[in-house]
Amino acid sequence: FPVIVTYYELLFRIATVGGVFKVSTIYMLLFSIAYGGIGYLLSSIFRNRKTNRIIAAVLVGLTCVPYIVEYLIYRFFKTFYDIGMVTGTAGDAATTYTSEIFQLILTSIPVLILFFLPLALYLIFGQKIVPAYRSKAAVRIISSATSVISYVLALLLITASSIYAPMYKAEYNFRSSVENFGLVTGLRLDAKYLITGRDNSFNIEDPSTMENNP
């Protein structure tokens, strides 16, 4: 799972804003390891092998969905949409730009295949990957510790940076968070601010008034 999340984040960055070889990639990789560890723990809870495989496949499938959605949004509107923008404008955009969206999907098939690749490989080879029984306690403890250490280390490195600390906290906006810390972290921060009522996300124009270039 850490490998899968890292793959999604790297592919997403390359397919959108680029710039893999920069300092913020370290933060993205550390967060990916942390999130991946959670995926591993969730998919190794039960003693039943089939149940674990189903949970793992569902998690891999659900994980790729936001990457695909945000990738298509970026290609169409040349920016990222936070949770509020996606839920608030999805219906209108689908109705207004039906033909353009269909054309965009067709031209994006090679990249979309790459996003679906981890799920396809898991469905084919997952039986050999998922253990027959629940992982030993030591393995789960190591996985949990690795996730926590990776997450805390990412936070410490970000906090120590005069450039990235404001992006993560005081000067947070969705686009810069996604570009520098990864999509999952951007969505996590956006969800946190939605819950706490803080409206400090990146505001963009209504999609119906924007010029699009599929």
Side-chain angles (χ1 to χ4, degrees):
F1 271 95
V3 173
I4 290 175
V5 177
T6 300
Y7 170 83
Y8 281 141
E9 290 286 6
L10 288 174
L11 174 60
F12 181 76
R13 178 174 289 190
I14 293 171
T16 54
V17 297
V20 173
F21 300 102
K22 59 182 183 179
V23 175
S24 63
T25 302
I26 298 175
Y27 312 139
M28 182 190 73
L29 294 177
L30 289 172
F31 281 130
S32 297
I33 293 173
Y35 302 141
I38 296 174
Y40 165 76
L41 293 173
L42 292 176
S43 63
S44 61
I45 295 175
F46 299 97
R47 294 182 60 85
N48 184 279
R49 181 186 184 122
K50 184 176 181 180
T51 302
N52 285 337
R53 286 192 63 203
I54 293 174
I55 293 175
V58 170
L59 288 175
V60 175
L62 290 177
T63 302
C64 78
V65 171
Y67 290 99
I68 293 174
V69 171
E70 286 290 346
Y71 165 72
L72 293 175
I73 288 174
Y74 184 85
R75 281 207 58 195
F76 197 82
F77 295 112
K78 307 306 178 186
T79 190
F80 299 118
Y81 275 17
D82 59 25
I83 297 174
M85 289 296 296
V86 171
T87 57
T89 63
D92 292 339
T95 302
T96 305
Y97 303 115
T98 302
S99 61
E100 290 89 344
I101 291 175
F102 181 73
Q103 180 183 357
L104 175 62
I105 292 175
L106 289 179
T107 58
S108 302
I109 287 178
V111 176
L112 296 181
I113 290 175
L114 292 177
F115 277 119
F116 281 115
L117 185 60
L119 178 60
L121 293 176
Y122 188 82
L123 293 176
I124 296 172
F125 301 107
Q127 188 172 359
K128 299 179 180 179
I129 298 174
V130 177
Y133 301 101
R134 183 171 58 182
S135 302
K136 294 181 180 179
V139 178
R140 294 172 62 79
I141 291 173
I142 292 174
S143 178
S144 301
T146 302
S147 294
V148 172
I149 292 172
S150 298
Y151 182 79
V152 172
L153 182 58
L155 292 182
L156 290 176
L157 291 175
I158 291 172
T159 302
S161 171
S162 60
I163 297 176
Y164 294 101
M167 294 183 187
Y168 192 85
K169 296 181 179 180
E171 299 175 10
Y172 159 81
N173 68 64
F174 183 69
R175 175 162 183 160
S176 66
S177 294
V178 172
E179 291 179 352
N180 292 287
F181 310 126
L183 179 60
V184 177
T185 299
L187 292 173
R188 176 177 61 79
L189 292 174
D190 195 54
K192 181 182 76 172
Y193 291 133
L194 282 175
I195 294 173
T196 59
R198 173 181 171 183
D199 185 15
N200 197 27
S201 189
F202 184 56
N203 295 317
I204 57 178
E205 299 177 41
D206 188 290
S208 62
T209 65
M210 296 179 62
E211 180 181 358
N212 60 80
N213 298 291

